[in-house]
Amino acid sequence: MARAIERGRGISDGLRFLHAQGDGSGGRQVAEALARFLVARCEARHAGWRMLRGVVIAAGAQPPWERCARRAVGPTADDLLEIAAGESGRPPLARVQHVAAGRRAEQLAPYTDPAAVLAELGLAPRDVSRERWRAALRAAVTARSRDQVARALEEALPG
């Protein structure tokens, strides 16, 4: 099942499997396969991720994109297992895709300068802790425009 998921097949079956047997044998393997698929899919299917990525690039950051994607897989798999254990029924694809985009955005934090990103968006500079910046980037994947990215960061970084 894991190989089929990585090729983009059996996603619904994988989510159903996690819900039914996620804590059992094979659950972690399926969760990691789903996470790899969902993290990669952000590029084509998650508008918020693409918008945040564009802002980060415009701010002059050059994060190691593939390394960040690989590092997002483990936390995304953990989230998938947690979601599947707590949901009644199969978790919706849109929800788990958003989780993957948020985890992928978090991985950009060490490679982006908050002051440069805030300046790119016309926001006032402020001191931002590493953890708060990670959370702010995660919150910004809800945005579908530069203005929404700016609003999301403004709300996540009061100051």
Side-chain angles (χ1 to χ4, degrees):
M1 179 181 294
R3 285 188 181 140
I5 289 170
E6 289 176 7
R7 289 190 304 258
R9 298 179 185 262
I11 304 304
S12 292
D13 292 337
L15 290 170
R16 265 192 295 281
F17 177 85
L18 282 184
H19 174 68
Q21 303 173 30
D23 56 354
S25 132
R28 182 72 192 179
Q29 184 180 9
V30 170
E32 286 179 359
L34 280 167
R36 278 189 293 278
F37 170 77
L38 293 168
V39 165
R41 190 174 192 248
C42 290
E43 292 294 336
R45 299 291 181 125
H46 198 279
W49 163 255
R50 290 192 315 265
M51 184 55 59
L52 179 62
R53 186 178 196 270
V55 168
V56 165
I57 290 169
Q62 296 180 357
W65 297 105
E66 291 307 313
R67 181 183 303 157
C68 290
R70 284 191 306 273
R71 288 182 177 167
V73 170
T76 301
D78 293 341
D79 290 343
L80 292 174
L81 289 168
E82 185 178 315
I83 289 168
E87 297 261 335
S88 58
R90 177 181 65 88
L93 180 60
R95 178 166 181 222
V96 295
Q97 181 65 66
H98 185 71
V99 166
R103 290 299 188 176
R104 192 164 181 183
E106 284 180 342
Q107 298 303 316
L108 298 176
Y111 305 103
T112 56
D113 177 17
V117 173
L118 295 174
E120 173 65 27
L121 293 169
L123 300 174
R126 59 199 82 178
D127 287 330
V128 180
S129 71
R130 181 176 264 172
E131 277 306 307
R132 180 153 263 186
W133 184 239
R134 284 173 56 99
L137 290 175
R138 183 176 180 144
V141 297
T142 60
R144 293 180 170 262
S145 70
R146 286 177 58 87
D147 289 340
Q148 288 176 352
V149 171
R151 272 195 301 273
L153 291 176
E154 189 73 45
E155 289 172 11
L157 302 169

